[in-house]
Amino acid sequence: MTIAHPHAGDRCVDPDDVGTNPTDNPRFDEIAASRLNRRRLLGWGVGTAGSALLAACGGGGGGGSGAFLPAAPATAAPAPSGNVDTSPAATPPAAPRLGFDAVAKSLADVVAVPAGYTASVLYRLGDPIAAEVPAYRNDGSDEAATYDRRAGDHHDGMTFFGIDASDRWDPAHATRGLLVMNHESMTQLFLHPAGRTVSGTGNAAMRTVADEVQREFYLHGVSVIEVERRDGSWRYRQDSRFNRRIHAVTEMVLSGPAAGTGDMRTRYSPDGTRTRGTVNNCANGATPWGTYLTCEENWAGYFRRIGAIDDPQRSPRELASFQRYGVRGVGGSSRLWATPRPDTADHLYGRWNAEIAGATATDDYRNVANTYGWVVEIDPFDPSGTPKKRTALGRFGHEGACLGPVVPGKPLVWYMGDDAQNEYVYKFVSARAWDPADVGAGMVAGDKYMDEGRLYAARFNEDGSGDWLELGLGINGITAASKAYAFADAADVLINARLAADAAGATKMDRPEWTAVHPKNGEIYLTLTNSTARSAGGANITNAANPRAYTEGGPSLSSGNPNGHIVRFADAGGEPDAVRFAWDVYLFGARSNAGPNVNLSELDADNDFSSPDGLWFSQASPGLLWLQTDDSKYTDVTNCMMLAALPGRVGDGGAKRIANASYVLTDNDEVVGHVAEQKTFVGKPPGADGLRRFLVGPVECEITGVAESGDGRALFVNIQHPGEDTSSLRDPAAFTSHWPDGGNARPRSATVVITRDDGGVIGL
Ligand code: FEO
Ligand code: CA
Ligand code: CA
Ligand code: CA
């Protein structure tokens, strides 16, 4: 029997909604939540986010600061991240002001931008990037072998590399550049003639049409495309020599301390120095020498490893690692890439099977999952170059890698979120000090700065201070005698960085997404998108940096921290290798009509939002922050959005006590309320001049990925998976979105370019 599974394994459960951190926070998972009787819960009084309970515990006011604050930055103006500034004493420009009227919340199937702006579609799923490739038919019939020269699906993080007339990197270039972007995942329903074709169920499920799997390999990864403004409008050049797709089959070099170790050996690479492909490339990053970083986020679910078959053959260390990273892809819940038969001569399908199948590690792919979960460096100026997975930056569910202040003579630093419930935020500090002579040196510079350094995980203290805990063998409890995991050597600490951060005592966060570094003061912003992990009553459900626990309605009843928040922190002295920092919560996501213990940033109808994810500071307009949402909690009112912000700095608000209202479910399914105070540090409310909605996307999309031309007069934004909840191809008129092509077309992820009708700078 053949059955079609519309986008099964891709959307129904967002993998980063499911945590794999077993350490001792109480959890109240979604299975228990489904037992809740909504009426009874509302009757009990927490349906409006606990505002009614505020009086019961004495109010949520507070005052005073008391937070540890760092000394002033060592240099007056750290260089913008992603750019190169060798004159740190440059005079800061005048304070920017937002210069557009807010866009209203919307459920329409359009990209809405402010009056006086135009959003144009630039690069859609399937668009050809080589001269010989025909236009995309978008009906599932396009030839699979052409997809390695077409736009991938689920556009995500993105960087614009300006190029001059000599084809060299020129960050300030305004009208021509390489746009490099991630393609995180796919909506399988719209990729094939009738959804994906599968036979069998559970662990016996198999993909029976190899062409479909080949398409999916190619639709993941990264695009490099040349874009230019000509005759007043932006387009990509279909025949550029720079155009390139990197995907799930592309050869990659493993680099840094974990490369060439026993845990990286596979049949494909017996010496453990190579692998093939990159997947689930979420956010991105850049280097000061002009290369692109792509980050592997929810990679674990791509591998087949059936516990009943494989677990008995594995060591306790291997089992602990699989458990901590969630490598347990079975049956219909995975993409089933390991299943087409027969396999190819170079085992393109079998390499997704992470089970022990041969005599030794070089006879099978038992270690293949260790070759994923990294930050990958790509030189977009070298179309035939081999990407490198930089193992010194640690292995986890990498969301992005944001470059910190770039100062000659000082180390380089990248800040990185690990997006799953209760995971951590990390930083990598290079061993070598930055030398501006390395600009343009490509992967050689990567070898110099990214293969040797120190990895840290963050602990946020209750008093507003923080500590960077170094993850190194023999320190911070990371030893062969560690309780949960016996670390073998320095490479093992990197391959199992989550376990190392557990041992060191890092702070569990509400799903760390993007990081962004303020180009004027070097402070770091971190989106924490949302979490259900703080919904249970009792002790220790919140901490000062993840302080809210409440319940609200919406598309469904949600408990924990449904709307997310944005933490920011300042490394002590502005030094990249500081081991202390000060933090506060810059912004809390909330509905504008939520109670005062939820809408702590006093959002109004023009700037309220939920589930922050994408986050990026403009380089052309220093101080202007773009904030994007990936939301499932406010979608009864509005589609996902992008906002412009002008944040202040750490400590511009003050200490506050939040009255949280959470609940426990007894064995008898009785809901018992729990009210607890949590102290935190809240930034100054942004107000209408500090945060304003700039864009609302089409139905069921995520807004993610943002980049600008060198002059800030063109803004590139990605619209990911419009119409993703469509359940059937039977009636095209019933697709939940037809964006961007309209009519009865299948929806497509796409890049839009936004310009101002008067040619001015975007946002100001
Ligand atoms: Fe791919 Fe965490 O967003
Ligand atoms: Ca994201
Ligand atoms: Ca997200
Ligand atoms: Ca998404």
Side-chain angles (χ1 to χ4, degrees), residues 53-71:
L53 295 168
L54 174 60
C57 61
S65 166
F68 159 82
L69 288 172

Side-chain angles (χ1 to χ4, degrees), residues 14 16 156 184 280-283 295 297-298 397-399 418-420 511-514 529 613-614 630 702 704 720:
D14 190 347
D16 46 22
D156 209 314
E184 184 180 31
N280 218 266
N281 306 82
C282 193
C295 301
E297 188 192 16
N298 289 304
H398 274 286
E399 177 78 19
D418 178 357
D419 181 12
R511 292 188 49 199
E513 300 258 21
W514 290 48
T529 195
D613 189 339
D630 173 14
E702 171 185 345
T704 181
Q720 189 186 78

Side-chain angles (χ1 to χ4, degrees), residues 8 95 101 109 124 139 149 199 271 325 363 380 402 473 482 533 550 602 705 710 747:
D101 293 332
D109 196 28
R124 302 162 295 181
D139 59 3
R149 287 153 291 149
S199 72
D271 66 358
Y325 284 87
D363 296 319
C402 185
L473 190 67
S482 293
Y550 59 102
E602 301 173 16

Side-chain angles (χ1 to χ4, degrees), residues 63-333:
S65 166
F68 159 82
L69 288 172
T75 51
S81 57
N83 282 352
V84 179
D85 183 348
T86 55
S87 56
T91 308
R97 294 173 58 112
L98 300 180
F100 60 91
D101 293 332
V103 171
K105 296 189 284 283
S106 163
L107 293 168
D109 196 28
V110 300
V111 173
V113 291
Y117 284 82
T118 299
S120 309
V121 176
L122 181 76
Y123 184 57
R124 302 162 295 181
L125 160 68
D127 277 341
I129 63 163
E132 72 281 4
V133 177
Y136 192 54
R137 288 193 287 267
N138 194 25
D139 59 3
S141 69
D142 297 277
E143 193 185 340
T146 65
Y147 278 68
D148 61 348
R149 287 153 291 149
R150 296 186 181 279
D153 203 356
H154 286 208
H155 303 35
D156 209 314
M158 171 168 60
T159 299
F160 178 90
F161 294 86
I163 43 178
D164 65 17
S166 305
D167 286 354
R168 283 191 301 251
W169 181 40
D170 173 9
H173 205 88
T175 58
R176 180 179 177 231
L178 301 182
L179 199 56
V180 188
M181 76 181 73
N182 296 338
H183 298 287
E184 184 180 31
S185 189
M186 59 188 170
T187 307
Q188 286 174 316
L189 181 68
F190 293 123
L191 299 179
H192 310 306
R196 74 176 192 174
T197 313
V198 175
S199 72
T201 57
N203 290 342
M206 297 193 51
R207 302 291 295 269
T208 52
V209 181
D211 268 9
E212 293 179 5
V213 178
Q214 185 181 11
R215 276 193 197 118
E216 294 175 13
F217 287 163
Y218 288 155
L219 285 167
H220 282 69
V222 174
S223 281
V224 181
I225 53 171
E226 183 180 338
V227 295
E228 62 181 353
R229 193 182 74 201
R230 185 176 286 184
D231 304 328
S233 61
W234 285 88
R235 67 199 71 188
Y236 77 91
R237 282 190 54 183
Q238 186 178 340
D239 60 352
S240 169
R241 74 177 182 89
F242 289 109
N243 290 354
R244 180 184 189 188
R245 283 298 319 288
I246 288 158
H247 45 67
V249 184
T250 305
E251 181 171 46
M252 310 255 157
V253 168
L254 297 165
S255 193
T261 61
D263 287 342
M264 306 295 255
R265 288 183 192 142
T266 59
R267 184 172 176 186
Y268 177 70
S269 179
D271 66 358
T273 59
R274 291 186 174 244
T275 188
R276 281 174 290 188
T278 186
V279 294
N280 218 266
N281 306 82
C282 193
N284 60 316
T287 69
W289 53 92
T291 60
Y292 181 78
L293 303 176
T294 186
C295 301
E296 299 177 337
E297 188 192 16
N298 289 304
W299 46 271
Y302 286 76
F303 296 101
R304 182 182 182 86
R305 198 187 73 80
I306 297 171
I309 297 169
D310 197 51
D311 283 356
Q313 307 184 71
R314 296 290 192 165
S315 70
R317 279 181 61 250
E318 287 176 310
L319 290 172
S321 177
F322 286 137
Q323 175 65 30
R324 191 65 184 81
Y325 284 87
V327 180
R328 47 171 186 256
V330 296
S333 68

Side-chain angles (χ1 to χ4, degrees), residues 5 40 50 64 75 99 117 185 198 258 322 358 399 495 524 531 591 607 642 644 720:
H5 288 265
R40 188 170 46 184
T75 51
Y117 284 82
S185 189
V198 175
F322 286 137
E399 177 78 19
I495 294 170
I524 301 97
S531 179
R591 295 165 185 252
N607 63 16
M642 183 164 82
Q720 189 186 78

